[in-house]
């Protein structure tokens, strides 16, 4: 089946992938929900390992346990509100109660990222921690959540790409044209590539000793990758006119301040003296 992607376009329906990962009585656990859960568990495990294995960590194990709860609330609230504000404000202004229906889908990466950053800053301010160093650690583990989330998007048949004449295209709708599997591109780049890059920088260089440097590299790199990946992705239906008028997708516009912030963080971290390990 995997080789079919490289030989001729594949109909997404023929893959027979159910969006339901597990059913227990009336309860259905969807792959997208499972991706969130697995991403959070991985982040806790990886951060705990990073704290134990490296000297002068920015937080204790107790801080980590508490911070994971704060970050979870931040990603859910931020992701949902970001989608409402950036991608579909008219629908939710007409019926604000729809905002609470998380099970109907609709999450924004940029909103989720802002939510997590705000949660980290608030927690660090409350407990007297260096927020920039905590963000550096968080930046190393975030790509795993992105990898799992994009794979879940593909399983759900969401976020189809633009039409392509390449043999690796996916036919998402019966009778439709082959389209780029943009979520798989994102899983490989925003997810796997950034996970390997950030992990290598943390474990094999002294980048972690310059507060804000790893966070800046992640923010800027994600912004650049997403800016490029959006060229393969079809705009959200309700924002097609917006993309045509402005020349960029909403996701691309939101990446421009990310790139600028990443460059600023890198510049700021390079000007400051490195910590002594």
């Amino acid at each position: 089946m995997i080789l079919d992607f490289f030989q001729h376009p594949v109909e997404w329906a023929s893959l027979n992938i159910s969006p339901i990962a597990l059913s227990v009585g009336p309860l259905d656990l969807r792959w997208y929900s499972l991706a969130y859960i697995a991403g959070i568990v991985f982040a806790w495990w990886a951060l705990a390992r990073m704290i134990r294995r490296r000297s002068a960590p920015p937080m204790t194990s107790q801080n980590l346990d508490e911070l994971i709860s704060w970050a979870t609330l931040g990603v859910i609230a931020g992701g949902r509100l970001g989608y409402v504000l950036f991608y579909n404000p008219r629908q939710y202004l007409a019926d604000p109660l729809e905002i609470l229906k998380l099970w109907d889908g609709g999450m924004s990466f940029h909103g989720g990222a802002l939510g997590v950053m705000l949660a980290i800053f608030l927690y660090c301010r409350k407990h007297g921690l260096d927020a920039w160093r905590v963000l550096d650690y968080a930046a190393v583990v975030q790509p795993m959540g992105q990898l799992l989330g994009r794979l879940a998007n593909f399983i759900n048949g969401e976020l189809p790409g633009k039409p392509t004449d390449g043999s690796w295209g996916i036919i998402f709708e019966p009778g439709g044209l082959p389209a780029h599997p943009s979520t798989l591109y994102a899983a490989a780049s925003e997810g796997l590539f950034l996970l390997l890059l950030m992990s290598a920088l943390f474990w094999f260089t002294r980048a972690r000793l310059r507060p804000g440097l790893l966070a800046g590299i992640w923010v800027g790199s994600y912004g650049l990758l997403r800016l490029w990946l959006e060229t393969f992705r079809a705009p959200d239906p309700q924002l097609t006119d917006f993309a045509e008028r402005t020349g960029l997708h909403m996701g691309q516009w939101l990446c421009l301040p990310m790139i600028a912030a990443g460059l600023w963080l890198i510049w700021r971290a390079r000007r400051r003296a490195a910590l002594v390990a």
Side-chain angles (χ1 to χ4, degrees), residues 93-130:
L93 285 175
D95 187 1
L97 291 178
E98 290 287 320
I99 296 174
L100 302 177
K101 296 181 179 180
L102 298 177
W103 53 88
D104 287 340
M107 299 288 281
S108 161
F109 164 81
H110 295 90
L114 288 173
V116 170
M117 291 178 187
L118 178 60
I120 289 175
F121 272 105
L122 291 176
Y123 181 85
C124 290
R125 181 177 180 181
K126 179 179 179 180
H127 294 276
L129 303 177
D130 186 337

Side-chain angles (χ1 to χ4, degrees), residues 3 5 19 22 41 72 97 110 134 141 146 209 244 267 275-276:
L3 292 177
F5 284 108
L22 178 66
V41 170
T72 300
L97 291 178
H110 295 90
V134 175
V141 301
Q146 196 68 10
L209 300 178
E244 291 177 352
W267 173 82
L275 301 174
V276 178

Side-chain angles (χ1 to χ4, degrees), residues 159-221:
L159 310 177
K162 293 179 179 179
T164 176
D165 56 3
S167 59
W168 57 86
I170 303 276
I171 302 173
F172 286 94
E173 298 181 1
L177 296 173
H180 285 283
S182 58
T183 49
L184 296 183
Y185 300 168
S189 55
E190 300 169 356
L192 182 59
F193 170 74
L194 282 185
L195 179 65
L196 295 175
L197 172 64
M198 300 307 300
S199 297
L201 290 173
F202 179 86
W203 290 106
F204 302 115
T205 75
R206 296 175 60 84
R208 67 182 181 84
L209 300 178
R210 292 187 177 274
L213 180 57
L214 289 174
I217 292 172
W218 173 78
V219 169
S221 297

Side-chain angles (χ1 to χ4, degrees), residues 7 14 20 88 120 125 151 155 159 184 189 192 215 222-223 232-233 235 238 243:
Q7 295 175 354
S14 70
I20 307 298
N88 217 344
I120 289 175
R125 181 177 180 181
L151 290 176
I155 290 172
L159 310 177
L184 296 183
S189 55
L192 182 59
Y222 178 89
F232 300 102
R233 178 175 155 183
Q238 72 277 13

Side-chain angles (χ1 to χ4, degrees), residues 34-160:
L34 190 60
Y36 266 83
I37 295 170
I40 292 167
V41 170
F42 172 84
W44 176 84
W45 171 82
L47 287 170
R49 183 170 178 266
M50 292 158 66
I51 290 171
R52 290 194 307 269
R53 296 286 186 91
R54 284 301 187 199
S55 60
M59 55 186 163
T60 66
S61 296
Q62 181 180 350
N63 291 142
L64 172 60
D65 293 342
E66 296 172 350
L67 183 60
I68 286 294
S69 298
W70 286 57
T72 300
L73 292 175
V75 72
I76 294 174
R80 184 59 167 174
L81 292 176
Y83 181 79
V84 170
L85 294 174
F86 300 143
Y87 289 92
N88 217 344
R90 291 184 180 180
Q91 174 184 334
Y92 293 104
L93 285 175
D95 187 1
L97 291 178
E98 290 287 320
I99 296 174
L100 302 177
K101 296 181 179 180
L102 298 177
W103 53 88
D104 287 340
M107 299 288 281
S108 161
F109 164 81
H110 295 90
L114 288 173
V116 170
M117 291 178 187
L118 178 60
I120 289 175
F121 272 105
L122 291 176
Y123 181 85
C124 290
R125 181 177 180 181
K126 179 179 179 180
H127 294 276
L129 303 177
D130 186 337
W132 293 114
R133 295 201 64 216
V134 175
L135 279 173
D136 284 340
Y137 275 58
V140 176
V141 301
Q142 189 284 331
M144 175 58 80
Q146 196 68 10
L147 169 60
L148 297 173
R150 291 310 186 195
L151 290 176
N153 287 144
F154 177 76
I155 290 172
N156 289 340
E158 300 169 336
L159 310 177

